[in-house]
Amino acid sequence: MRSYIVFPQVEDLPTVKGDFYALGHIPNIIGAIDGTHVALVPPHRSEQVYRNRKSYHSMNVQMVCLADQYIYQVNAMFPGSVHDAYILRNSSIPYVMGQLQRHRVWLLGDSGYPNLSWLLTPLRNPRTRAEERYNEAHGWTRRVIERTFGLLKARFRCLHMTGGSLFYSPRKVCQIIVACCMLHNLALQRQVPFLQEDGPDDGVVAAVEPVDSDEEEAEEEDIDNRDSVIQQYFQ
């Protein structure tokens, strides 16, 4: 896994930021973060733990990607009932991003995440044109993680609901998810084209199952940080 799912090196950050800036004109972004569900048949004794908000059983998988859809961080060990902000707190991301703060870089997440010094979320109720421009740029840029989920699940149908639920233990399901992410990155590195005949044309690349985090919005924790970004770049 450490050979194929790798956090960007410090010397690569200027290129990473430039690629993200081209998507939505937000500077200093080095990743888009979100969660998605992978359906499984749950263990009988803990069935309820794996039931998500859409009333089916799943693993809640959190990923961070680059602008070219390369996955450089994945947490696949949390059941479907766990909220994405909890996964974030219990991952290595806070520590790694804390170490990078001297480089003034951010991740982009939806409103299910807290707004932090290194994580920018959209405004719930934009009131000015600058705030609206920020939300628009945020949406255009963060959309890459949804496209990444779509491509990943289109290549590996076992991760998409059209492929049914995985009939394995939660541990084995996590191993399968990580293996698929490794192969996804390897395919990108080797420029393996995605052929539509790999799966039926059912819109899977666009229609992924992101975690419904907007139903439970996280608390705002660092509003001043986001406001400074809006004032500096979107006025």
Side-chain angles (χ1 to χ4, degrees):
M1 176 178 173
R2 292 178 181 176
S3 298
Y4 294 101
I5 303 177
V6 183
F7 208 93
Q9 299 298 305
V10 171
E11 57 268 24
D12 298 326
L13 293 183
T15 300
V16 172
K17 291 190 289 185
D19 292 342
F20 270 107
Y21 186 80
L23 297 180
H25 292 177
I26 301 181
N28 301 325
I29 301 302
I30 63 167
I33 184 171
D34 203 356
T36 189
H37 293 293
V38 173
L40 82 164
V41 176
H44 178 70
R45 294 183 178 179
S46 54
E47 174 269 340
Q48 196 61 32
V49 176
Y50 293 87
R51 185 178 296 276
N52 60 43
R53 294 182 187 144
K54 295 185 178 181
S55 297
Y56 68 90
H57 301 99
S58 66
M59 299 301 295
N60 182 345
V61 186
Q62 181 178 270
M63 300 182 195
V64 186
C65 75
L66 296 175
D68 63 359
Q69 299 179 304
Y70 179 92
I71 297 167
Y72 68 77
Q73 206 274 348
V74 55
N75 280 308
M77 62 182 190
F78 292 90
S81 61
V82 175
H83 192 259
D84 46 7
Y86 177 87
I87 300 176
L88 177 67
R89 289 195 299 270
N90 288 274
S91 72
S92 62
I93 295 176
Y95 173 79
V96 175
M97 292 301 297
Q99 296 298 304
L100 292 174
Q101 278 309 282
R102 66 180 183 275
H103 299 284
R104 189 174 163 80
V105 293
W106 299 294
L107 299 181
L108 288 186
D110 65 18
S111 57
Y113 292 99
N115 196 74
L116 304 170
S117 61
W118 47 265
L119 176 58
L120 297 177
T121 61
L123 290 105
R124 299 172 188 173
N125 299 295
R127 299 178 180 179
T128 67
R129 183 58 189 136
E131 292 178 346
E132 291 174 353
R133 284 196 292 265
Y134 165 80
N135 268 13
E136 291 167 1
H138 189 288
W140 278 110
T141 307
R142 201 191 64 83
R143 198 167 298 172
V144 66
I145 186 65
E146 297 175 2
R147 294 197 300 270
T148 299
F149 290 151
L151 179 58
L152 177 69
K153 292 186 175 186
R155 282 191 187 275
F156 304 102
R157 286 287 167 151
C158 63
L159 304 184
H160 193 272
M161 287 192 67
T162 59
S165 299
L166 289 169
F167 285 80
Y168 300 97
S169 68
R171 179 180 176 84
K172 177 65 72 173
V173 169
C174 292
Q175 293 172 335
I176 291 171
I177 294 167
V178 171
C180 289
C181 291
M182 293 166 59
L183 291 170
H184 165 87
N185 285 348
L186 186 61
L188 291 179
Q189 291 172 3
R190 299 190 178 182
Q191 299 182 332
V192 178
F194 171 71
L195 303 178
Q196 193 60 56
E197 54 263 32
D198 288 347
D201 184 12
D202 61 359
V204 66
V205 172
V208 299
E209 298 89 45
V211 173
D212 244 346
S213 52
D214 285 346
E215 294 181 9
E216 185 179 333
E217 295 179 324
E219 292 295 323
E220 301 286 3
E221 294 187 20
D222 198 337
I223 300 176
D224 290 343
N225 174 62
R226 184 174 59 194
D227 287 346
S228 67
V229 171
I230 294 172
Q231 293 172 10
Q232 185 172 356
Y233 299 109
F234 293 96
Q235 287 290 359

